[in-house]
């Protein structure tokens, strides 16, 4: 594993799936990783695995649904670490299975974690990065943010909000020396999708997705989008005239 350009990184949602693989990959490149999520026992296991492989990581239990605490935690870790070089807002929840996808309970959870939690993570880190004139913010969004999909209001709306937040932040902070990257991921074989029954074409493993992202991050692109065939199809669908698109989506959904 080549040495990373980052000295320190914080990853939310590091207890599972893509976040765990990103944390492992960063640590393997010599980065000191601050691993955040709610399940402390899983974070401890991750930290032990990283330590056993010769890397350095710290478990930072955190519920990003509490935006105030999240922003404050980011500021504290930034100070304690001597400055975070990379912050990855990855924590998210999928659509709950026990309530309708259009129910408030479903929409509320996704908004609080997937949008407000990510916003608090990124903006919590930003003032110190701006003061240093360097740093890299990354948000894990989804191809689901490209356009409306059936049964996806709870999941897609916060992801579209996150993609827009990152695109706006880029305009403000790239001139100040801060890189901003939006990751638009396709389907991943992780606990989030483990019990899903709908079709998931071109589903990648979390490890493969993490390698893909980490190989591209050092160049600080505006976007990392994968897998490309599915991304192109999703973009094409979003550009169809609305009546055609809605008819097609209702039939597919
Ligand atoms: N799976 C897919 O098909 C897919 C597709 C496109 C994009 N994505 C995105 O990829 C990212 C990673 O998802 P994944 O598939 O790896 O899912 P996952 O395995 O379910 O992991 C989600 C992570 O988020 C954390 N999390 C959830 N709620 C949290 C909260 N309130 N506070 C702090 N951490 C919280 C979970 O940890 P705790 O439960 O321990 O808190 C877990 O570590 C997400 O942003 C997801 O939206 C996934």
């Amino acid at each position: 594993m080549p040495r990373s350009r980052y000295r320190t990184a914080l990853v939310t949602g590091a207890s599972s799936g893509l976040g765990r693989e990103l944390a492992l990959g960063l640590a393997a490149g010599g980065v000191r990783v601050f691993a955040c999520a709610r399940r402390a026992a899983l974070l401890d296991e991750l930290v032990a695995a990283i330590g056993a492989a010769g890397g350095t990581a710290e478990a930072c239990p955190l519920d990003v649904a509490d935006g105030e605490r999240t922003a404050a935690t980011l500021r504290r870790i930034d100070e304690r670490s001597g400055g975070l070089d990379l912050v990855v807002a990855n924590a998210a929840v999928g659509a709950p299975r026990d309530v309708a996808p259009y129910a408030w309970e479903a929409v509320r959870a996704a908004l609080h974690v997937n949008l407000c939690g990510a916003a608090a993570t990124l903006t919590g880190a930003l003032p110190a990065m701006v003061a240093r004139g360097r740093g890299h913010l990354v948000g894990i969004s989804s191809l689901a943010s490209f356009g409306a999909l059936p049964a996806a209001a709870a999941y897609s709306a916060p992801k579209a909000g996150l993609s827009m937040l990152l695109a706006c932040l880029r305009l403000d902070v790239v001139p100040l020396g801060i890189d901003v990257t939006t990751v638009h991921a396709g389907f991943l074989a992780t606990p989030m999708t483990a019990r899903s029954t709908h079709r998931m074409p071109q589903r990648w493993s979390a490890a493969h997705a993490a390698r893909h992202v980490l190989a591209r991050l050092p160049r600080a692109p505006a976007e990392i989008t994968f897998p490309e065939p599915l991304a192109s199809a999703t973009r094409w669908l979003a550009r169809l005239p609305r009546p055609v698109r809605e008819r097609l989506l209702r039939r597919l959904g």
Side-chain angles (χ1 to χ4, degrees):
M1 171 69 67
R3 195 106 194 128
S4 173
R5 75 169 244 206
Y6 310 108
R7 213 175 26 86
T8 54
L10 181 143
V11 181
T12 65
S15 61
S16 162
L18 179 61
R20 185 174 196 280
E21 294 297 332
L22 289 171
L24 285 166
L26 285 163
V31 181
R32 180 178 169 206
V33 174
F34 295 84
C36 304
R38 290 166 303 175
R39 288 170 292 174
L42 292 182
L43 294 179
D44 289 342
E45 268 176 40
L46 170 68
V47 166
I50 288 174
T56 314
E58 203 175 296
C60 308
L62 174 67
D63 183 348
V64 300
D66 183 338
E68 299 307 316
R69 184 167 291 179
T70 298
T73 301
L74 262 288
R75 288 193 287 270
R76 228 181 14 255
I77 294 176
D78 185 88
E79 253 182 61
R80 189 153 57 77
S81 66
L84 289 166
D85 296 330
L86 171 69
V87 170
V88 185
N90 164 80
V93 291
R97 296 170 65 79
D98 48 349
V99 289
Y102 44 78
W104 164 236
E105 291 82 349
V107 177
R108 178 184 58 197
L111 283 171
H112 283 178
V113 176
N114 303 8
L115 179 55
C116 297
T121 302
L122 298 167
T123 58
L126 203 38
M129 285 185 174
V130 169
R132 287 192 292 275
R134 65 184 163 81
H136 192 168
L137 297 179
V138 177
I140 307 296
S141 186
S142 167
L143 298 184
S145 69
F146 286 7
L149 297 167
Y155 187 73
S156 294
K159 287 299 186 190
L162 174 59
S163 295
M164 181 57 83
L165 178 89
L166 289 157
C168 293
L169 283 179
R170 265 187 74 78
L171 294 175
D172 294 335
V173 304
V174 166
L176 306 178
I178 316 301
D179 297 318
V180 180
T181 299
T182 309
V183 175
H184 290 118
F187 296 111
L188 303 173
T190 64
M192 187 178 281
T193 55
R195 290 187 301 142
S196 275
T197 49
H198 62 76
R199 278 181 353 98
M200 286 180 274
Q202 298 163 43
R203 188 155 62 144
W204 282 14
S205 74
H208 182 50
R211 278 195 299 276
H212 185 86
V213 170
L214 292 178
R216 284 156 184 77
L217 275 191
R219 292 193 299 278
E223 292 183 30
I224 300 173
T225 300
F226 59 88
E228 198 34 61
L230 185 63
S232 297
T234 313
R235 279 193 205 96
W236 169 81
L237 192 62
R239 283 193 213 108
L240 287 176
R242 185 188 299 269
V244 180
R245 189 174 70 233
E246 291 190 344
R247 246 194 334 270
L248 192 63
L249 283 169
R250 287 203 182 96
R251 204 173 313 144
L252 291 176

